[in-house]
Amino acid sequence: MGLVDTAQDKLEDQLNSHGRGAGHVAIGVAVCAAIASGTALIALKRTPPAGPAEQAAATDGVTVKPSKPTLSLLLPTLFSLSSLSALRIWNAPSSPRRTRALALWGVMQAVNAALVWAAPKRRSAQLVGAVATASITAAYAETAKRIDTKAAGMVAPYAGLMSFTSAMAGDVRRSREQGASRSLH
């Protein structure tokens, strides 16, 4: 087996695309990239600048918030993992379960984009958003697991970051509103 054949096999394994045409794979790549990129761009654009409470908290170590450069490294990676997961499901044999998993992934992306865009300030709204994100992600992972276990495993880091950033955003907003740096802990 030549180098090109080996590379093609590795790529097909990574994309779960054995037996799929290049057009089918390209459509999946385009759709996943567009959706995930849109959500990532919203997240990066909506990241608020550090306020006085955050700056004070950074000096006494009470509140930890990832910097915009850190998020700009993490978000594309995690959105890429989520997109690769969806692409693996897209390339799986057609079935009602596959359709359900893809729909859940789309809802997961829409909910995350809406939460990032709306940036709810009330703790109850943040809790609803976090529970919705966790629930949809868990439903997607469970459905995806029955189709492709690798695809299901790829969303775990994504779910973790979404939960972390939701919690931190709420903590930062409360710190600003209260004029003091307090932690949820």
Side-chain angles (χ1 to χ4, degrees):
M1 182 180 274
L3 185 59
V4 173
D5 290 336
T6 302
Q8 184 176 356
D9 283 347
K10 294 277 186 193
L11 182 60
E12 286 178 349
D13 285 343
Q14 191 63 30
L15 298 179
N16 191 30
S17 64
H18 290 288
R20 291 295 192 171
H24 176 86
V25 174
I27 290 170
V29 168
V31 169
C32 290
I35 291 171
S37 295
T39 304
L41 286 173
I42 290 170
L44 290 174
K45 295 290 182 190
R46 296 293 289 187
T47 302
E54 290 172 72
Q55 292 168 350
T59 60
D60 66 13
V62 174
T63 303
V64 177
K65 178 182 179 286
S67 65
K68 193 167 184 174
T70 300
L71 284 177
S72 70
L73 292 173
L74 286 175
L75 287 175
T77 302
L78 294 175
F79 283 124
S80 294
L81 278 173
S82 171
S83 297
L84 183 55
S85 171
L87 185 57
R88 288 183 63 87
I89 298 300
W90 169 260
N91 289 328
S94 186
S95 71
R97 186 171 284 152
R98 174 183 159 247
T99 301
R100 190 172 333 126
L102 290 171
L104 286 167
W105 183 81
V107 170
M108 184 173 71
Q109 297 304 312
V111 167
N112 286 330
L115 287 171
V116 169
W117 183 259
K121 292 182 180 179
R122 294 182 52 203
R123 189 177 189 115
S124 59
Q126 293 167 5
L127 181 60
V128 167
V131 169
T133 298
S135 299
I136 293 165
T137 304
Y140 168 76
E142 181 60 31
T143 304
K145 181 174 75 174
R146 296 171 188 218
I147 300 164
D148 180 48
T149 56
K150 286 182 183 179
M154 291 175 175
V155 295
Y158 175 81
L161 179 72
M162 291 300 107
S163 299
F164 174 75
T165 55
S166 294
M168 293 312 301
D171 189 41
V172 167
R173 281 191 198 94
R174 280 187 297 286
S175 294
R176 282 188 192 157
E177 291 166 2
Q178 296 170 354
S181 57
R182 296 185 187 162
S183 175
L184 290 174
H185 311 304

